[in-house]
Amino acid sequence: MAGLRSRYWAGIPIVFLLCWSYTDQVVLIAWVISNMVWWGFRATMQKRYLAQSEQERSNSFDMWAGLNLIWNFGYALQWGILTLLIFNDLPLTQKTLLTMLMVANAAIVVVFTQGEKIMIRVPLWLFMGALAVAWYVSDFEAKALVAAWILLLCLEFEDAMNRQYQQLVAMLSLSYRNQVLASRITEQNSALSEALDSRRRLIAVASHDLRQPVHSLGMYVESWRPTQDLAEQEQRARTALSGIRHMQEILNTLLDLGRIESGALDARPRQFDVERMLRDVADNFQVLADAKGLSLQVNASAQDMVSEPSLLRRAVWNLVSNAIKYTEEGQVALILQTKGDRLQITVKDTGPGIAPEDQAHIFKEFHRLEGTDAIEGVGLGLAVVDRIVRYLGGNIHLVSYVGQGSEFTLELPLAPAGQTLTPRPPAPRERARDLPSLEGLQVMLIENDEAARHSTASLLAVWNCQVRSACGGAEALQMLRSSAPWPQVVLSDFQLDNPMDGLQVIAALREAAGHRTIHGILLTGDVNPGVAQRAQSQQVKVLYKPLRPSRLHAALADLTGLPESPDSDFLN
């Protein structure tokens, strides 16, 4: 704007010198003084505007824009009046020079005011229009032609102004889009950086927590001697089993996080009784609660919902596990409520409570409360709960006071959008019962790792299953063709040493079995969603490693309850 003002000012002395000898000098002096006063008014206006704060400028923007428009109008009016008063007194040469000066002035306005359309039209048409009128009423022979040329030039200036304005809008739009894109890239980079930091912490914490039980197991195995008395051997076995369970807990938690983040969860929403699920979780923790002298209560009545029961059970399981782990006396309660179309599951304890400064971070990975280092865990349980609940379309609330305990409330829709609950009569309450028998179940185990194959086969034998094992698909096919009976269930690892993977082996065995029914279970640690999708398309159940024996037993028991083929070989 400083350059624009200097170009405006430069025209005043040029006009003064150009017209001094040919026109009324009083008029010329009056015009110069008027210009100086007008520019003084603009300088005062600009000074007051710049002295305001950003907020004040924003609030008074319309007023300053109006004053600027008035100034432009007055400035153009001064030039137009001068042109009409002195133009006829000037010789042709001075008329031509004055015309060139005013055209240049108009061009400067168009170029340097950056598309302010009203601000340009006012000075442009006033003094260019006055110039055209002055030529038209002069005694020049081609006066009409010159006047028309000036008006056409004015139209050309306005067209240039419109193009410049459009370019300015496009430039501002591009600048805005670039700013939005840069902001998104910054957010994504920040999220990526946070994810990478989280994975680094994950590796560090997991490696530390896994090394300790592995180290302890190695020490116990090396120190075991057949001559030790039975009580000492049992104690060492219990300690070793505790270390194994701790490693399983860490690996299962890491696997849950990986499956959620990779989208590998095989979610199959269905209608189920939430109360029964809560009581089942409570039954599993009753022994631990009794050992600590805690009261474990379930305050719920029969209530169905449509969701993924295994995921919701995992979230509730983690909350109850934490509540019992951190509560030394009092009680842990599971409370089920409904509010409209929402269901609330609250896990309430009388533990130490959570300080306000920790509540904002409690659902972050690896966050552990101060003073809880002696309690087993890596700080991932609540992170898994948070991700599961959000995955199921709900949210989690925490109310906690130091010294008074904590309440974790899961709030979920009773049914996903577009689905409704199907009313059904209440089923009779089932009490806890023994594990179903697997005696006589024909199982073909396919595992390329010798230690895993031997340990799994031993466990199946303990359950009285009839087990045959192979290291790959070719060996399994040869074994089955040479001896009956055919298996009821094929239990296969996914990654095998031969060209076929576990799913391909199960498919090959089913094809060879003809009309016989063979159920498939795939064991894998691969959380790639493609594996779960392939298994689902082949009607093969997926169990993720590391696997608790109880989960394998439950999967086999479920399959034995499916309709079976009347084939004699199959039934043997």
Side-chain angles (χ1 to χ4, degrees):
M1 292 303 295
L4 180 59
R5 288 196 301 268
S6 65
R7 288 171 174 83
Y8 283 155
W9 274 98
I12 296 175
I14 293 175
V15 171
F16 185 82
L17 296 174
L18 188 66
C19 304
W20 179 258
S21 303
Y22 303 100
T23 189
D24 188 341
Q25 296 174 350
V26 174
V27 172
L28 198 58
I29 292 173
W31 177 80
V32 171
I33 294 174
S34 174
N35 261 274
M36 292 176 66
V37 171
W38 204 241
W39 275 101
F41 167 66
R42 181 179 179 84
T44 302
M45 183 175 66
Q46 186 174 16
K47 184 177 180 180
R48 291 183 60 186
Y49 175 77
L50 295 176
Q52 291 183 326
S53 64
E54 290 291 336
Q55 184 62 40
E56 290 173 334
R57 292 179 193 176
S58 177
N59 294 338
S60 59
F61 177 80
D62 290 341
M63 181 192 73
W64 292 112
L67 289 174
N68 194 38
L69 180 61
I70 292 172
W71 186 90
N72 280 335
F73 180 83
Y75 173 78
L77 189 62
Q78 289 176 354
W79 278 82
I81 291 174
L82 176 69
T83 303
L84 293 174
L85 289 177
I86 69 172
F87 197 79
N88 281 334
D89 298 335
L90 301 177
L92 182 59
T93 301
Q94 274 68 25
K95 288 179 181 177
T96 303
L97 292 174
L98 180 61
T99 300
M100 294 174 60
L101 177 62
M102 295 185 69
V103 169
N105 211 1
I108 291 172
V109 171
V110 171
V111 171
F112 285 94
T113 48
Q114 292 282 326
E116 298 173 7
K117 298 176 74 172
I118 289 184
M119 305 303 176
I120 294 174
R121 284 195 176 97
V122 169
L124 183 65
W125 284 102
L126 274 178
F127 63 72
M128 290 291 284
L131 181 62
V133 171
W135 272 102
Y136 188 76
V137 298
S138 68
D139 54 2
F140 185 61
E141 293 181 358
K143 57 184 180 181
L145 183 61
V146 175
W149 173 79
I150 292 173
L151 293 177
L152 288 174
L153 190 60
C154 192
L155 291 173
E156 184 64 27
F157 280 159
E158 180 159 347
D159 183 61
M161 174 199 69
N162 288 330
R163 291 197 303 270
Q164 183 175 330
Y165 181 77
Q166 292 171 0
Q167 291 173 358
L168 177 63
V169 171
M171 182 181 67
L172 292 175
S173 177
L174 179 61
S175 176
Y176 175 75
R177 290 197 299 269
N178 288 340
Q179 289 178 3
V180 172
L181 180 60
S183 176
R184 290 178 180 173
I185 292 174
T186 301
E187 291 176 359
Q188 291 176 355
N189 286 340
S190 177
L192 178 60
S193 177
E194 184 177 346
L196 290 175
D197 289 342
S198 175
R199 296 289 79 75
R200 293 189 190 101
R201 295 195 306 271
L202 174 64
I203 294 171
V205 174
S207 63
H208 173 272
D209 280 54
L210 286 173
R211 282 173 183 164
Q212 182 60 37
V214 169
H215 172 74
S216 300
L217 284 173
M219 296 298 102
Y220 279 117
V221 170
E222 286 295 325
S223 64
W224 183 85
R225 295 290 182 272
T227 56
Q228 293 170 343
D229 61 61
L230 182 59
E232 186 176 356
Q233 290 184 19
E234 289 179 349
Q235 177 60 37
R236 292 179 180 275
R238 282 195 296 269
T239 305
L241 184 58
S242 176
I244 292 172
R245 286 174 176 168
H246 182 51
M247 287 191 293
Q248 285 181 328
E249 181 181 356
I250 296 173
L251 292 173
N252 281 329
T253 302
L254 297 179
L255 180 61
D256 286 339
L257 283 174
R259 291 169 64 195
I260 292 172
E261 293 181 355
S262 66
L265 287 174
D266 184 20
R268 299 179 182 180
R270 62 179 178 84
Q271 184 166 329
F272 66 98
D273 187 350
V274 186
E275 182 207 6
R276 182 172 299 181
M277 183 266 290
L278 295 181
R279 295 191 183 278
D280 177 66
V281 171
D283 288 343
N284 279 273
F285 281 99
Q286 190 63 58
V287 174
L288 291 177
D290 291 343
K292 296 187 70 174
L294 301 175
S295 171
L296 181 57
Q297 302 177 356
V298 178
N299 183 7
S301 56
Q303 175 61 58
D304 279 12
M305 75 178 301
V306 177
S307 188
E308 169 48 66
S310 62
L311 290 180
L312 183 57
R313 187 178 189 276
R314 176 68 169 170
V316 175
W317 183 285
N318 283 7
L319 291 178
V320 176
S321 175
N322 275 2
I324 293 177
K325 189 183 299 181
Y326 291 99
T327 302
E328 296 301 325
E329 60 180 0
Q331 68 174 6
V332 174
L334 284 76
I335 304 168
L336 176 63
Q337 302 177 83
T338 57
K339 290 188 176 182
D341 60 350
R342 308 286 288 182
L343 177 139
Q344 293 182 341
I345 300 173
T346 300
V347 177
K348 182 178 180 180
D349 64 59
T350 56
I354 303 170
E357 60 269 20
D358 285 321
Q359 293 182 21
H361 311 288
I362 197 70
F363 296 104
K364 293 183 179 179
E365 298 170 355
F366 316 111
H367 184 83
R368 302 199 66 192
L369 298 178
E370 185 177 351
T372 61
D373 294 339
I375 301 176
E376 285 187 355
V378 294
L380 289 172
L382 290 178
V384 172
V385 173
D386 181 55
R387 282 166 171 77
I388 287 177
V389 172
R390 285 192 281 115
Y391 180 84
L392 295 177
N395 46 63
I396 183 168
H397 307 285
L398 168 62
V399 177
S400 183
Y401 301 97
V402 175
Q404 300 182 32
S406 304
E407 292 183 19
F408 289 89
T409 300
L410 311 182
E411 184 174 320
L412 299 149
L414 282 171
Q419 296 189 33
T420 56
L421 292 173
T422 302
R424 61 182 180 184
R429 178 71 58 208
E430 292 184 7
R431 304 306 301 171
R433 54 188 176 86
D434 295 333
L435 291 175
S437 174
L438 300 179
E439 184 173 358
L441 182 66
Q442 298 288 338
V443 180
M444 169 58 72
L445 172 64
I446 305 172
E447 171 64 72
N448 61 324
D449 183 87
E450 184 177 356
R453 186 170 66 250
H454 177 73
S455 61
T456 306
S458 299
L459 179 62
L460 293 170
V462 169
W463 293 337
N464 296 318
C465 297
Q466 300 298 314
V467 187
R468 283 171 289 175
S469 59
C471 64
E475 182 182 352
L477 283 168
Q478 184 178 1
M479 185 181 300
L480 292 178
R481 285 167 178 163
S482 61
S483 63
W486 284 81
Q488 294 169 269
V489 179
V490 175
L491 181 62
S492 177
D493 185 36
F494 177 65
Q495 294 180 332
L496 303 172
D497 290 337
N498 57 50
M500 290 192 295
D501 61 34
L503 288 173
Q504 292 171 326
V505 169
I506 293 174
L509 292 175
R510 284 174 168 173
E511 183 178 359
H515 65 281
R516 302 176 182 89
T517 300
I518 295 181
H519 303 296
I521 296 179
L522 184 72
L523 302 178
T524 180
D526 191 342
V527 297
N528 187 332
V531 175
Q533 292 170 0
R534 284 180 56 197
Q536 183 178 359
S537 67
Q538 294 181 215
Q539 296 184 339
V540 173
K541 187 175 184 62
V542 180
L543 297 178
Y544 289 95
K545 299 178 181 179
L547 181 67
R548 290 186 178 182
S550 59
R551 292 195 64 190
L552 177 58
H553 189 287
L556 291 170
D558 286 343
L559 292 180
T560 59
L562 296 175
E564 299 177 350
S565 168
D567 181 82
S568 58
D569 288 343
F570 182 76
L571 294 173
N572 287 336

